Amino acid sequence: MVQTVRSTLAAVISYVVALWLSSEPAPLTAPLTALLVVQVTLYATLTTGIRRVNSVVAGVLIAIGFSSLVGLTWWSLGSIILASLVIGRFVRVGEFVPEVAISAMLVLGVTRVAETSWDRVLETLIGAVVGLLFNILFVPPVWVQPAGEAIEDLARRMRRLLQDIGDEASGHTPVDRAVARLHEARRLDHDIVEVDASLRQAEDSLRLNPRVKEGLLYRVVLRTGLDALEVSAVVLRVICRTLTDLAKARRDEPLFDPEVGEALREVFTHLAQAVENFAVVITSQVQANAEDAEDRLTTELTAGRAGRDRAAELLLRQVLGHPRQWQLHGALLTEVDRILDELDVEERSRRLTEHLDRHAREQHNRHPLLNAVKQRLRASHYGRRSTQP
């Protein structure tokens, strides 16, 4: 609702301004541009507005060139569309290449091309400026909370799947049930794509937003956290594949001995709780809540590693007595280790440090002159301080 009202007001204001400045009786290009420029985030508004203005101006200039030579015929229409689509690839308009051709066609169809074309350029600039100023004066909301909720929802689905796997490991698992778990794990890929889209929107809302003081840190925390959950989801799918293969090989008997199955159930229970606490750690905006969740995460990971070692000893005994599908047992333990490593607190801190250092290096390499000026100013400032008594 908020975004709908924002877009409507920006379009109306741009139309009123265009009525004052343009000679067109109905300057609809201005509200159209403002409606398209006012995006959900300020960063998207800036980047989209520039590309959209480029596309419209390029289309108008192409139409002026064609109109001075030919009128509107079927072959001139085809020629201008072809030329617009080709030129649009070289003027850095991104996904707005078709709008170059659309603008050129609209202008070519007008009788007084010379006057109307420049009015259309003016209307486009008015719409873009109004849309940009609208988002600067009325800053769009920060979309961190929806992204955090999406990440937590993904973690809850992974927790339920891990809990179900642990419950079934201690008894007989029919093949059809194991296959159903595998399909459920595969559906996590689609869920991750949706969460990634929500996180991208949150990252854009943090860029250039005056409401946010530590936007880079928020972005890195959420992105590295989602990366860890994505890897864990892939490993979880592999675990389901391994258990499905075991179920096919042992149709008339339990997957594991009772003692081994109970140990694995304990391991997957701790993994399930660890995944949920990990999501709370990376999405919590309150420091106290994050610290409590991190303590719970550390406890669950420690218990999970201890349970994993116990299950490994029991599996080794089972393999020595009944060496069937021993490679699947080893694969299962390896996959559990990978999830434990991805959720590890120290590993998470290391990834955060690496991302922040890489971003600092990229910023330094991207603006060498600005960094040189900053270093000189900093050196002169320290030099003045050192000469003071």
Side-chain angles (χ1 to χ4, degrees):
M1 291 296 297
V2 172
Q3 182 61 24
T4 301
V5 173
R6 290 167 57 84
S7 300
T8 303
L9 290 177
V12 172
I13 293 174
S14 63
Y15 180 75
V16 173
V17 174
L19 284 176
W20 293 342
L21 301 179
S22 176
S23 60
E24 283 289 309
L28 295 178
T29 305
L32 174 62
T33 305
L35 186 64
L36 298 174
V37 166
V38 178
Q39 302 298 313
V40 179
T41 66
L42 179 60
Y43 177 78
T45 299
L46 288 171
T47 56
T48 302
I50 294 174
R51 294 198 302 270
R52 193 172 295 279
V53 170
N54 285 344
S55 65
V56 175
V57 172
V60 171
L61 294 178
I62 293 172
I64 293 175
F66 270 80
S67 64
S68 61
L69 301 175
V70 296
L72 179 59
T73 61
W74 66 268
W75 62 269
S76 64
L77 178 64
S79 300
I80 197 172
I81 292 176
L82 179 61
S84 299
L85 294 178
V86 172
I87 295 175
R89 301 289 179 181
F90 299 96
V91 293
R92 296 183 179 182
V93 297
E95 68 273 23
F96 302 123
V97 171
E99 294 194 14
V100 179
I102 293 173
S103 301
M105 285 189 296
L106 292 176
V107 174
L108 187 63
V110 180
T111 304
R112 295 178 302 167
V113 176
E115 298 178 2
T116 307
S117 59
W118 293 114
D119 285 334
R120 195 169 299 278
V121 172
L122 176 62
E123 295 168 17
T124 302
L125 294 175
I126 291 173
V129 171
V130 170
L132 177 60
L133 292 178
F134 200 86
N135 262 5
I136 292 177
L137 297 177
F138 304 98
V139 182
V142 177
W143 295 88
V144 173
Q145 183 176 355
E149 293 174 353
I151 291 175
E152 291 181 357
D153 186 58
L154 172 65
R156 283 192 292 269
R157 289 195 290 272
M158 295 174 63
R159 176 187 61 81
R160 288 194 296 267
L161 182 56
L162 284 166
Q163 192 70 56
D164 292 340
I165 291 174
D167 294 339
E168 294 176 0
S170 57
H172 176 257
T173 302
V175 176
D176 57 347
R177 187 181 302 173
V179 172
R181 290 282 175 264
L182 179 58
H183 288 312
E184 186 177 353
R186 287 170 175 168
R187 283 195 294 269
L188 290 175
D189 292 341
H190 177 71
D191 298 334
I192 290 174
V193 172
E194 294 181 347
V195 176
D196 182 74
S198 179
L199 180 55
R200 289 181 184 275
Q201 184 183 57
E203 290 173 336
D204 286 346
S205 70
L206 292 172
R207 291 187 175 97
L208 307 178
N209 196 320
R211 295 183 183 179
V212 182
K213 295 182 179 179
E214 298 181 349
L216 174 61
L217 182 59
Y218 285 147
R219 296 202 311 268
V220 173
V221 168
L222 291 176
R223 175 55 62 184
T224 55
L226 180 59
D227 290 343
L229 288 178
E230 183 177 0
V231 173
S232 300
V234 173
V235 177
L236 182 54
R237 185 172 70 243
V238 178
I239 289 176
C240 293
R241 175 76 263 179
T242 301
L243 294 176
T244 301
D245 293 340
L246 276 172
K248 292 178 179 179
R250 302 175 181 179
R251 294 178 179 270
D252 300 326
E253 57 182 318
L255 297 182
F256 307 98
D257 291 342
E259 190 176 9
V260 176
E262 182 61 27
L264 290 175
R265 186 192 66 81
E266 180 182 352
V267 171
F268 283 110
T269 299
H270 289 304
L271 285 179
Q273 297 299 325
V275 166
E276 188 170 27
N277 286 313
F278 180 83
V280 176
V281 168
I282 64 176
T283 59
S284 179
Q285 301 297 317
V286 182
Q287 186 67 22
N289 293 343
E291 291 179 355
D292 293 341
E294 187 167 320
D295 292 338
R296 294 193 299 270
L297 172 62
T298 302
T299 301
E300 296 293 343
L301 290 176
T302 302
R305 289 191 177 92
R308 182 266 178 207
D309 294 339
R310 177 171 173 268
E313 294 178 0
L314 295 174
L315 281 173
L316 179 60
R317 297 177 190 173
Q318 181 176 341
V319 168
L320 292 176
H322 304 281
R324 296 184 304 157
Q325 293 86 37
W326 58 268
Q327 73 279 8
L328 296 178
H329 296 171
L332 182 63
L333 294 175
T334 302
E335 292 146 12
V336 170
D337 288 339
R338 184 62 184 274
I339 296 180
L340 290 171
D341 292 339
E342 285 296 326
L343 303 181
D344 186 72
V345 176
E346 294 182 359
E347 179 67 18
R348 170 175 168 268
S349 300
R350 185 187 63 81
R351 286 196 296 263
L352 286 175
T353 303
E354 289 179 353
H355 277 73
L356 292 174
D357 291 343
R358 184 170 64 251
H359 182 272
R361 290 194 301 269
E362 291 175 353
Q363 291 295 106
H364 185 274
N365 296 332
R366 190 177 303 171
H367 307 289
L369 295 179
L370 179 60
N371 290 319
V373 172
K374 287 182 179 180
Q375 290 178 359
R376 290 181 181 179
L377 292 176
R378 191 179 297 112
S380 62
H381 174 71
Y382 287 134
R384 288 195 301 268
R385 291 186 60 182
S386 62
T387 57
Q388 293 178 359

